[in-house]
Amino acid sequence: MISPFLPEEENNDPDSVPFYPDVSEQVRNLLGPDGQMADVFSQRGQVYESRGQQLELATVIAQTLHEGHHLVAEAGTGVGKSFAYLAPALLAAIATSQKIVVSTYTIHLQEQLLHSDIPKLSQALGREVKAVLVKGRSNYLCMRRLQLARRMGGDLFRPEHQNWLDRLAAWANETEDGSRQSLPEEPPMEVWSQVCAEEGTCVYPSQREHQNCFLTRARARMQDADLLIVNHALFFSDLAMRGQGGSGLLPEFDVVVMDEAHQMEEAAGQALGIRLTSWSFTRWIRSLYHSDSRKGLLSVLKKGTLAHEVGQVQKHVDRLFEQMQAWSFQRGDGRGCVRVKEPLDIQTPLPWILQELGQKLKELELETENTEIRAEIALARRRAGELATGLTSFLELRNTEYVYWVEEDNRGGKKRVVLCGSPVHVGPILRDVLFDRLHSVIMTSATLAVRGGMDYFRKRVGAEMANELQVGSPFNYSRQMRVYLPGGIPEPNQSGFPDAVAEQILIHVQQTRGGTFVLFTSIAMMNEVLKRVEKDLYREGYPLWVQGRGESRSQLLRAFKQHEQSVLFGLSSFWTGVDVPGNALRSVMITRLPFAVPDHPLVEARMENAKNQGGNA
């Protein structure tokens, strides 16, 4: 693949910033101590700190993009990674009119890029930079499906759900982007799944209606953008869809920056794997026919016999998941996660029934003249095939490169089982669908190296051919921070652990006068400790913010920053990608280090894989 970065005389855009030949000079002009970014910060009344490590990282990324290589870069805390990759990425995008994808693991980092970092770089470059936050298809309201659902509402939904259609129609006339995130109140999933955009359902009867589609508008914004900001889950799901021959949501791109790259393997494994719940099947069944209310698509089409057959599927689903729950309970030892090492001795006709129903839906699709309804039938047919394939793969352990397991899900207060499968090693897959196809993949994080090198990480994600770079942190840790390890704390599985942690929290918060994150790996443990400290913290005047009580992570962070004595109790999403500048965050309490559980089936299988290849698990 040829380099996309062209010399100035070959670039026909008079407003573009040439990215040739001295890319390092352009980066220094942006990020250096007397550069354009320093001017922007000065104009905003802020202090700009040029960092040697940041300049080194940005320069190497610029050269990598210019030459068309892949790069794994570890940059310590405080380097300013986002400016270090955004500056060369924007210079490249402007010079070549190519789209560059930036993928992050956390929503907070996406918001920081969009609302803080990119506007500053845009001001420094003296031109508008078009950056778009990309959301998955099903996040957008489909006007055609909404209109169809309203016409068929009496046959599709129960009265309490049917009222939602009118509310969504009123909201559709007011909303700018039509995404679920901008709804004032979340609709029931049973309703939203019938009116959201899905692959293959865009069958608008006229060009005008198609142009008014929220997803079409979103795609137009993507096509017009310089940078596309996505999360890892969407990026790898899009990659998996393309790999299976489907149409991805993202437009064509040749360069991707993977920030928080230490999460790549996990995110890719989830996107490429299997996750089946009883609701996965029930939602499909109810979209066609809800036996209690006698509503659904087949009711609209007056297909009573087929509706009855679909309705009967639920009893097989219930029976299968009852059997799986019993199997898991017998073998689980209370761990909540059990590996499946050999095909299960559980008999269910579900895969065969789903395949048969898929064929009948295909016949119904062919005989249906209405294009809108035909698209809905096609969607149901494809889902039947996906459920059948996933379930067969799980029950028969069909993919020898996967590990399969059953895990418990206690959300909503009810214990359910989830059937899971994931590639043991995503490296070979990513090498084929990512690294061998793209011009440049830039991977960066503060935590990638093992024993001073990146060999382990590069092998795990299939990036053996990538160059590597390590730049240290500008922080002087011995002067700028202290680490406390309180003694006498019981083991986390001992009864005295919550009391001991609660005591330390109260002591430490008093010493720092708040400004504290308290981070947990378990919501149950967080709630146990919370019961012991909540009243005392409130009585002492410390505003307490707790993840999982309704506010989003962004709302919690904003509230935390506004009150200097705040204490925030957080879970996994607060462990990485959080930036609280200034004096608002003065201390972080880690109640338990978030190491991967060695006996989790996926971790266990990876350890076995390492041993089998002569490595050290």
Side-chain angles (χ1 to χ4, degrees), residues 416-442:
R416 298 178 176 87
V417 292
V418 185
L419 316 184
C420 305
S422 179
V424 176
H425 191 187
V426 300
I429 303 172
L430 294 185
R431 188 184 306 117
D432 178 45
V433 301
L434 183 63
F435 297 103
D436 287 350
R437 297 188 183 186
L438 294 189
H439 176 79
S440 283
V441 180
I442 308 295

Side-chain angles (χ1 to χ4, degrees), residues 18 35 66 102 119 139 148 211 226 250 253 377 464 608:
H66 175 61
V102 176
N139 286 284
L148 180 66
Q211 289 174 342
D226 301 308
L250 297 174
F253 61 93
I377 299 169
E464 291 92 338
E608 291 170 2

Side-chain angles (χ1 to χ4, degrees), residues 387-541:
L387 289 169
T389 301
L391 183 56
T392 301
S393 176
F394 177 86
L395 294 173
E396 299 179 2
L397 309 190
R398 183 163 284 189
N399 194 326
T400 57
E401 303 298 319
Y402 274 49
V403 59
Y404 297 89
W405 72 94
V406 181
E407 68 183 33
E408 288 182 359
D409 184 348
N410 297 320
R411 281 176 293 186
K414 187 175 181 181
K415 194 174 286 188
R416 298 178 176 87
V417 292
V418 185
L419 316 184
C420 305
S422 179
V424 176
H425 191 187
V426 300
I429 303 172
L430 294 185
R431 188 184 306 117
D432 178 45
V433 301
L434 183 63
F435 297 103
D436 287 350
R437 297 188 183 186
L438 294 189
H439 176 79
S440 283
V441 180
I442 308 295
M443 295 154 280
T444 181
S445 171
T447 51
L448 292 176
V450 176
R451 293 183 177 176
M454 251 84 80
D455 288 352
Y456 172 77
F457 172 78
R458 289 191 291 118
K459 186 176 181 181
R460 293 306 306 173
V461 300
E464 291 92 338
M465 73 297 290
N467 299 327
E468 62 180 65
L469 171 72
Q470 288 177 266
V471 295
S473 171
F475 291 158
N476 184 333
Y477 286 114
S478 62
R479 293 182 57 190
Q480 291 180 277
M481 72 175 293
R482 292 180 182 176
V483 178
Y484 292 92
L485 300 172
I489 305 290
E491 291 294 316
N493 57 358
Q494 294 178 336
S495 59
F497 181 74
D499 288 324
V501 170
E503 181 183 0
Q504 289 295 325
I505 290 171
L506 292 173
I507 292 171
H508 187 72
V509 168
Q510 288 282 7
Q511 290 175 338
T512 62
R513 303 304 299 164
T516 302
F517 277 6
V518 187
L519 302 182
F520 295 84
T521 58
S522 156
I523 190 170
M525 180 57 67
M526 183 177 79
N527 289 332
E528 280 296 312
V529 174
L530 193 59
K531 286 190 294 188
R532 293 162 168 80
V533 301
E534 188 165 10
K535 289 181 180 178
D536 289 328
L537 289 173
Y538 277 129
R539 186 170 55 247
E540 295 294 326

Side-chain angles (χ1 to χ4, degrees), residues 7 94 109 111 116 145 153 185 190 241 245 249 263 267-268 289 419 432 436 444 449 473 494 561 563 583 610 615:
I94 292 168
L109 185 51
E111 292 175 342
S116 178
R145 295 190 80 201
E185 185 182 352
E190 196 171 326
M241 191 176 296
L249 175 65
Q263 301 283 4
Y289 184 69
L419 316 184
D432 178 45
D436 287 350
T444 181
S473 171
Q494 294 178 336
K561 293 174 185 178
H563 302 274
N583 197 45

Side-chain angles (χ1 to χ4, degrees), residues 257-277:
V257 177
M258 304 292 302
D259 199 355
E260 300 170 292
H262 59 283
Q263 301 283 4
M264 278 178 67
E265 184 177 18
E266 179 186 353
Q270 290 176 354
L272 296 165
I274 299 166
R275 186 175 177 85
L276 295 172
T277 65

